């Protein structure tokens, strides 16, 4: 099975310093919906793994998050794509959970649920924590320059073997080309 893990904010949709808190603030990035559609049509399974500490901070609730994800699913479906699952961590860093990236808890859960090997498993993200979560299990870290990506790239210290792309569309094109 070909499976790719995507971070959400800054990869699929615009990120905000004050958190994406509702459907009006959930705005897809240029060509991100098309990128997911291309992956789907090329036989890839697409899973989202996203830290959503806004829940733990009380900035929005699960109903607002579900509405955002419903919008994401609808727009991606209309573009001809599919998200197979969305894994979230609702905790703040102070909760010390195992599911919050950069820890690989969500990655382990995804691999178990979809019965895929961790080695070489690609994860596309815009922050160091995304890259660290997949690198910790022997997966393939892929950084996009959208969202926090430029800042992440400039800060350096990326995991060995990190691939860098301008956006999700370019990263998806690379995966599809094999």
């Amino acid at each position: 099975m070909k499976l790719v893990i995507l971070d959400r904010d800054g990869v699929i949709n615009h990120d905000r310093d004050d958190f994406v808190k509702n459907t009006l603030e959930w705005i897809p990035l240029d060509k991100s919906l098309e990128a997911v559609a291309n992956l789907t049509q090329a036989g890839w399974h697409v899973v989202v793994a996203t830290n959503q500490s806004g829940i733990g901070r009380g900035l929005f609730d699960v109903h607002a998050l579900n509405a955002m994800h419903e919008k994401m699913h609808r727009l991606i479906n209309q573009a001809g794509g599919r998200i197979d699952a969305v894994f979230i961590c609702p905790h703040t860093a102070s909760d010390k959970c195992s599911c919050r990236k950069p820890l690989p808890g969500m990655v382990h859960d995804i691999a178990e649920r979809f019965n895929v090997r961790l080695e070489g498993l690609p994860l596309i993200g815009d922050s160091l924590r995304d890259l660290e979560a997949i690198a910790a299990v022997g997966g393939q870290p892929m950084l996009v320059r959208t969202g926090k990506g430029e800042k992440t790239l400039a800060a350096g210290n990326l995991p060995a073997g990190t691939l860098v792309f301008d956006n999700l569309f370019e990263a998806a094109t690379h995966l599809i080309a094999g």
Side-chain angles (χ1 to χ4, degrees):
M1 172 187 298
K2 296 185 294 188
L3 184 137
V4 60
I5 302 171
L6 307 181
D7 178 45
R8 194 191 80 170
D9 300 332
V11 176
I12 301 172
N13 59 282
H14 287 276
D15 200 358
R16 297 170 56 107
D17 290 335
D18 64 343
F19 297 87
V20 178
K21 300 174 291 304
N22 58 56
T23 57
L24 294 176
E25 295 176 353
W26 195 95
I27 301 166
L29 287 164
D30 288 342
K31 296 179 86 173
S32 67
L33 304 177
E34 186 179 347
V36 175
N38 290 348
L39 285 164
T40 301
Q41 292 166 20
W44 284 81
H45 292 268
V46 180
V47 176
V48 172
T50 179
N51 287 351
Q52 291 295 321
S53 67
I55 291 175
R57 297 169 195 260
L59 300 175
F60 55 90
D61 61 18
V62 172
H63 299 291
L65 183 66
N66 287 341
M68 287 183 262
H69 289 163
E70 191 175 297
K71 178 179 180 179
M72 177 179 70
H73 282 291
R74 185 180 75 253
L75 293 175
I76 288 171
N77 288 344
Q78 288 172 353
R82 183 183 66 249
I83 298 283
D84 290 279
V86 178
F87 286 69
I88 67 155
C89 170
H91 308 111
T92 64
S94 63
D95 290 328
K96 306 277 192 243
C97 64
S98 64
C99 58
R100 184 173 170 78
K101 296 178 286 182
L103 295 177
M106 271 195 282
V107 175
H108 281 290
D109 290 346
I110 291 165
E112 184 178 324
R113 169 135 170 236
F114 287 89
N115 194 29
V116 295
R117 294 180 52 216
L118 292 168
E119 186 180 332
L121 181 65
L123 184 148
I124 303 171
D126 69 325
S127 71
L128 184 59
R129 77 180 98 203
D130 298 322
L131 307 176
E132 290 173 336
I134 197 68
V137 299
Q140 174 61 64
M142 299 174 71
L143 177 70
V144 289
R145 294 175 183 265
T146 52
K148 296 178 181 75
E150 282 292 346
K151 203 160 133 180
T152 301
L153 186 59
N157 295 320
L158 301 181
T162 298
L163 303 176
V164 181
F165 300 92
D166 284 343
N167 54 41
L168 179 57
F169 187 86
E170 283 192 8
T173 301
H174 171 80
L175 287 175
I176 293 165

